[in-house]
Amino acid sequence: MALWGHPDFRRLWTGDTISQFGATVGMTVIPLLAAGVLDATPFEMGLLAAASTMAFLVIGLPAGVWVDRMRRKPLMIAMDVVRAALMLSVPLAWWLGVLGLTQLVVVSLAVGVCTVFFDVAYQSYLPSLVGRGQLVEGNSKLQASLSVAEVSGPAIGGYAAQFLGAANSVLATGLGYLSSAFFLARIRTVEPVPERHPDPHLRREIMEGLRFVFGNTTLRSIVACTGTSNFFHGIQNAVMILFLLQTVDLSEGTAGLVLSAGGVGGVLGAAFAYRIGLLVGQARMIWLIPLLTWPFTLALPFISDGLGLVLPMVALAVTSFGIVVYNVGQVSYRQAICPDHLLGRMNASIRWVVWGATPLGALLGGGLGSWIGIVPTLWVSLAGSVGGMLWVLFSPLRSMRDLPTTSSVEAHG
């Protein structure tokens, strides 16, 4: 693997791993803090879940234009530092006795704004750092980091919340963001100066990115698949913690352990994504692997304490394996076909849809949880997220094997 010998990629990889670890701990303990300490209702849990990704819907499109106008590494460092300060305010407020649900929602919303800029910049930065020929390998390694964090983060977050207190456990998230900023600052590769648009105009540049994405048949299918699945996953996010703690009556630590099972599959997915791409085709794995793995998530509602944890945890692992392989494939595909000057707007346009769908799903999930109950809402979310794969299953990807080797500005599939 060529990237093992790439010092700057290793720095990016290390910083990202630490940041993802802190983030997954925070994503576990903040809902636990809201549900277990602040007695949040299903609607309030939906509002909290929506807040973390609402920024993608609100500022996602202009963020892509701004990212394309500036160097990406300094922007990522700044966003890490701001996210660290925001997350560290949670344990501080708890120690002072003034923490409330409003602060958790505001912090989640503000962190989401920073994450919009960081993620768009990071996905636009990778091609210039490693080259287009190493995108699948680079994305596989970065997905491995995310998956390792997803294995250990929820379990550690759950047990930390149980024994140390949920608010105190948020410290790990803030420190993770600071560590990420440190390693990013040590990257020595000189970033190319962004191309300046001869006639900068926010709306016109936004539309240029949207036309590239939605004028391409294959990209439209990928956006529809990811957006549909994320929308229904947002519904799941609103009720999942309540399902584990109240319906199944698990402890906070065991709930974290269950959630970490998906990370085990994610680690394996990231480890084998590159080889799967070589075996079945880098484009083909975008639809084939979801078809074989995503339906396993339908076993989740059958979870129960004791031995009843085993089958749903295995199902979560298999599903997450498929999600990670899909993500490696589809992110690499869109990076491969997009010209450098459109990378920020392409990523932002896609994330505006796929991440913007998540808070809408979370708000609906909170309402459904209060109206029809937690378990029926969970079934709705799982069936819808599995159905999202139909978009890529019946797309032009079916006739492709591997990724293009050069970018194209053509807006058709």
Side-chain angles (χ1 to χ4, degrees), residues 59-73 75-76 79 114-125 191-192 194-196 202 205 340-345 347-348:
I59 65 164
L61 290 177
V65 176
W66 295 324
V67 167
D68 277 340
R69 291 177 178 177
M70 63 184 73
R71 293 182 185 269
R72 285 135 188 180
K73 189 184 81 171
L75 176 63
M76 291 188 289
M79 294 302 98
C114 296
T115 299
V116 169
F117 285 97
F118 184 94
D119 286 358
V120 172
Y122 139 74
Q123 290 194 338
S124 305
Y125 183 57
E191 187 177 355
E195 293 184 25
R196 295 293 181 183
L202 183 64
E205 291 180 64
D340 289 340
H341 72 280
L342 278 173
L343 278 167
R345 280 166 285 172
N347 285 318

Side-chain angles (χ1 to χ4, degrees), residues 215-280:
N216 184 297
T217 306
T218 306
L219 282 183
R220 283 203 308 269
S221 300
I222 288 173
V223 170
C225 172
T226 311
T228 300
S229 296
N230 281 3
F231 175 78
F232 285 98
H233 192 71
I235 296 177
Q236 179 182 331
N237 286 344
V239 298
M240 188 63 185
I241 291 294
L242 295 175
F243 172 71
L244 295 176
L245 296 184
Q246 298 179 7
T247 305
V248 188
D249 198 27
L250 300 181
S251 68
E252 292 174 322
T254 305
L257 183 64
V258 169
L259 294 174
S260 71
V264 175
V267 170
L268 295 174
F272 287 100
Y274 182 72
R275 293 177 178 85
I276 290 172
L278 295 177
L279 179 65
V280 306

Side-chain angles (χ1 to χ4, degrees), residues 312-372:
M313 289 177 69
V314 171
L316 275 175
V318 173
T319 304
S320 295
F321 176 94
I323 290 172
V324 168
V325 174
Y326 165 80
N327 280 334
V328 169
Q330 62 95 1
V331 170
S332 299
Y333 177 86
R334 69 196 208 206
Q335 288 172 333
I337 69 169
C338 185
D340 289 340
H341 72 280
L342 278 173
L343 278 167
R345 280 166 285 172
M346 178 275 294
N347 285 318
S349 297
I350 290 177
R351 283 177 169 259
W352 176 62
V353 178
V354 303
W355 283 104
T358 304
L360 299 179
L363 291 173
L364 178 60
L368 284 177
S370 300
W371 179 37
I372 64 174

